[in-house]
Amino acid sequence: MGAVAYAAGLPLLQLNRIATAPIDQTRAGWAAAATLLCLPVQAWLVWSAARDNWGRRQRWALAAMAVLIIAIVPVAGLDGLGTLYVLAALLLATLRLPWSLLVFAALMLVPTPVAQAAGQLQWASYFTLGVLLAGVPLAVVVGLVRTARQLEAARSALAQQAVIRERLRIDGELRQTVGAALEAITVQGDRAGALAGGAPPAAARELGALVGAARRTLAAARRMVTRYQEVSLRAELETTATLLAAAGIQTRLALPPEGLPDHLDPVARARLRRD
């Protein structure tokens, strides 16, 4: 919202200057009309760029606005050069390097021939510095907001991937332990059922073994569930290192030679996640 307000404030300042102290009275109306026409489009494009919602519509709108501004500058004269500010910022923020820098530098050169043609070369430095001092801060803010949103999306994706990996690991461990034990219990139950009619003593022994296996399986399942609820300190540190790497920070996990405790108390875990 701050970037949008800044992008809207620049044209409004230019309108105020045109209304109070126009450079060329005969062309001031064209300059004011071009500024008003571009203002809502510029605000929408800044909003889209900051939200990283940049698609075909935004590209076509930016291209159309650039053509309109370049075409109207010879008609609007020096008063129309204020429309270059937000355009330069958008091109600097959305085009890829090195094209963004080249186009931005080209727009900084536009005021000089326009001022020379109007016979008022003293205004060239004013509008050239205006493109630089108004366009660069807006482009930086838009880029920072977009990068922050991309980082947040990357953090969410990493968290989802971590959940999926943990679920797959738990699923594999359950299949190898509890799953195998349940299959053995099923086989013992079928065998006991087959012996129930002809050999009751053997069936009783099979049932006793089945009950023992079921109790051991239940105890193992309880131990596994308890272990899953406790996240190890090393897992916490590895997750932290992964998130820092996703943020573009070079990270290396150096463990102490004496080893780490298996688990942290809730207060220490909360402090680690906060830091």
Side-chain angles (χ1 to χ4, degrees):
M1 292 301 297
V4 173
Y6 182 80
L10 290 175
L12 291 176
L13 286 175
Q14 291 301 312
L15 284 174
N16 179 71
R17 185 191 56 77
I18 294 171
T20 56
I23 300 173
D24 189 347
Q25 290 279 1
T26 60
R27 299 184 178 186
W30 287 102
T35 304
L36 283 174
L37 184 63
C38 294
L39 195 155
V41 180
Q42 290 174 342
W44 173 64
L45 289 176
V46 169
W47 174 266
S48 300
R51 291 178 60 85
D52 201 20
N53 183 24
W54 198 258
R56 180 177 299 178
R57 290 192 306 164
Q58 286 80 3
R59 288 193 294 269
W60 278 108
L62 180 59
M65 186 180 67
V67 171
L68 173 64
I69 290 176
I70 297 301
I72 202 68
V73 163
V75 180
L78 289 172
D79 288 313
L81 291 176
T83 56
L84 295 175
Y85 297 168
V86 180
L87 174 63
L90 285 169
L91 292 172
L92 185 61
T94 58
L95 293 181
R96 295 183 178 180
L97 293 172
W99 298 108
S100 58
L101 296 177
L102 293 175
V103 173
F104 186 83
L107 289 178
M108 288 184 60
L109 297 177
V110 169
T112 300
V114 175
Q116 188 173 10
Q120 302 187 60
L121 195 58
Q122 69 274 16
W123 286 97
S125 59
Y126 171 82
F127 286 105
T128 299
L129 289 176
V131 173
L132 178 65
L133 300 179
V136 170
L138 179 57
V140 170
V141 169
V142 169
L144 288 176
V145 174
R146 186 170 62 240
T147 302
R149 294 181 65 86
Q150 292 172 351
L151 175 59
E152 186 63 28
R155 288 170 60 93
S156 299
L158 283 173
Q160 293 175 0
Q161 292 175 6
V163 170
I164 293 174
R165 288 196 302 268
E166 186 65 12
R167 288 176 176 174
L168 291 175
R169 186 186 68 81
I170 292 174
D171 179 71
E173 189 171 351
L174 288 175
R175 287 178 181 273
Q176 295 175 4
T177 56
V178 179
L182 291 176
E183 290 179 1
I185 290 173
T186 302
V187 172
Q188 287 179 333
D190 293 339
R191 189 160 50 243
L195 295 173
R205 288 193 299 271
E206 288 291 340
L207 287 175
L210 186 148
V211 171
R215 288 175 176 172
R216 289 191 299 273
T217 302
L218 179 59
R222 286 174 174 171
R223 287 195 301 270
M224 292 177 66
V225 170
T226 302
R227 190 172 72 252
Y228 292 152
Q229 292 174 347
E230 297 177 351
V231 181
S232 67
L233 175 56
R234 178 156 186 166
E236 292 276 6
L237 293 174
E238 289 176 348
T239 300
T240 303
T242 302
L243 292 176
L244 289 172
I249 301 172
Q250 187 175 0
T251 307
R252 182 174 61 90
L253 183 59
L255 300 178
E258 64 272 12
L260 294 172
D262 291 335
H263 302 289
L264 284 175
D265 59 88
V267 175
R269 182 178 290 110
R271 187 181 303 114
L272 171 64
R273 293 177 177 177
R274 179 200 64 194
D275 294 340

